[in-house]
Amino acid sequence: MDRLIVEAPEPITLIGGGEIATGALAEALALAPKLVAADGGAAAALAAGYRPQAVIGDFDSLSEDVRAQLPPEALHPVAEQDSTDFDKALRSIAAPAVLAVGFLGARVDHQLAAFSTLVQGHQTPCVLIGETEVIFHLTHEVALPARAGEVISLFPMQEATGRSEGLEWPVEGLVMSPMGRIGTSNRALGPVRLLPDGPGLLAIVPRRLLAEVLRALRLDFRKDLRRG
């Protein structure tokens, strides 16, 4: 059974050891001030002048020098090797949402692993922050104040269907699949509503909408808690 390591009533910023988009860490911390690191993300946090309150992972990327700069109670090793450090961290966090930096860019295999992790059904919803876009698992209706012409993409990680309002090419009636029709490079006509029929769709939207995405995910998290 997974062990909860971090529980918080407010969103959490999670930093990984990958490429960090320009200004993404500061932007995330402004919305979610508590910082947690996934393994080698601890080194990235220290290099940026921040000290994570917890470090979670198998620690294969955590040097002795970095460990020495952190209190022992902040170190939470998870020894199994069947999942990524990103997955280990999300399984260990209970919060309204996680804003994740340092998981996109650089290695493509790491990005694909992060996309897979997003749709694994974690209790805490998560947003990946990239250079120009943010990515999240679309599990509930989301309304966003997009501008006409902005790119709104839906990428299916499994066969999935849904509905939309405000997109140039509506998705209602389409069966999307990673091996068939996908929903990338769509365009907003103005504000949009995205309504999935089930799990499996990744939403990729402009980074300027991060605060609105976070607000929508927090609202859905609260609704799920009430239903639970």
Side-chain angles (χ1 to χ4, degrees):
M1 185 174 178
D2 294 330
R3 174 172 63 98
L4 279 181
I5 294 170
V6 178
E7 296 183 72
E10 296 299 325
I12 285 173
T13 294
L14 178 66
I15 184 171
E19 188 175 291
I20 298 175
T22 306
L25 182 55
E27 185 176 357
L29 288 170
L31 296 167
K34 187 167 186 175
L35 180 62
V36 174
D39 204 333
L46 292 172
Y50 299 97
R51 189 178 301 275
Q53 298 183 34
V55 183
I56 303 168
D58 57 25
F59 289 7
D60 62 352
S61 301
L62 199 67
S63 69
E64 290 300 324
D65 177 62
V66 170
R67 291 192 195 207
Q69 298 179 61
L70 298 167
E73 60 270 21
L75 302 176
H76 301 276
V78 180
E80 58 91 356
Q81 294 289 316
D82 295 327
S83 63
T84 64
D85 291 314
F86 182 33
D87 187 37
K88 291 179 176 70
L90 286 186
R91 296 197 322 253
S92 305
I93 293 173
V98 166
L99 301 183
V101 301
F103 297 96
L104 297 175
R107 289 178 51 175
V108 173
D109 59 337
H110 284 174
Q111 294 182 72
L112 291 173
F115 298 158
S116 176
T117 295
L118 281 185
V119 297
Q120 293 304 313
H122 300 93
Q123 177 185 356
T124 299
C126 179
V127 184
L128 292 169
I129 304 176
E131 195 67 44
T132 60
E133 299 158 317
V134 296
I135 305 169
F136 60 98
H137 186 200
L138 185 66
T139 58
H140 299 75
E141 176 183 336
V142 170
L144 297 172
R147 298 168 182 159
E150 287 187 314
V151 175
I152 305 290
S153 292
L154 297 174
F155 188 88
M157 297 294 288
Q158 63 181 36
E159 189 172 286
T161 60
R163 290 162 289 148
S164 65
E165 295 178 7
L167 291 182
E168 185 168 348
W169 297 285
V171 302
E172 187 167 3
L174 302 182
V175 177
M176 290 174 278
S177 163
M179 297 184 67
R181 184 187 293 270
I182 59 176
T184 57
S185 299
N186 212 325
R187 285 197 295 267
L189 301 174
V192 300
R193 291 175 69 231
L194 306 173
L195 305 92
D197 292 330
L201 281 175
L202 293 181
I204 307 169
V205 306
R207 180 169 146 183
R208 73 167 192 86
L209 296 174
L210 174 60
E212 285 78 9
V213 169
L214 176 59
R215 188 175 300 114
L217 295 184
R218 292 185 68 179
L219 178 62
D220 290 332
F221 179 82
R222 290 173 182 146
K223 288 179 180 176
D224 286 343
L225 284 181
R226 288 196 293 269
R227 282 195 290 265

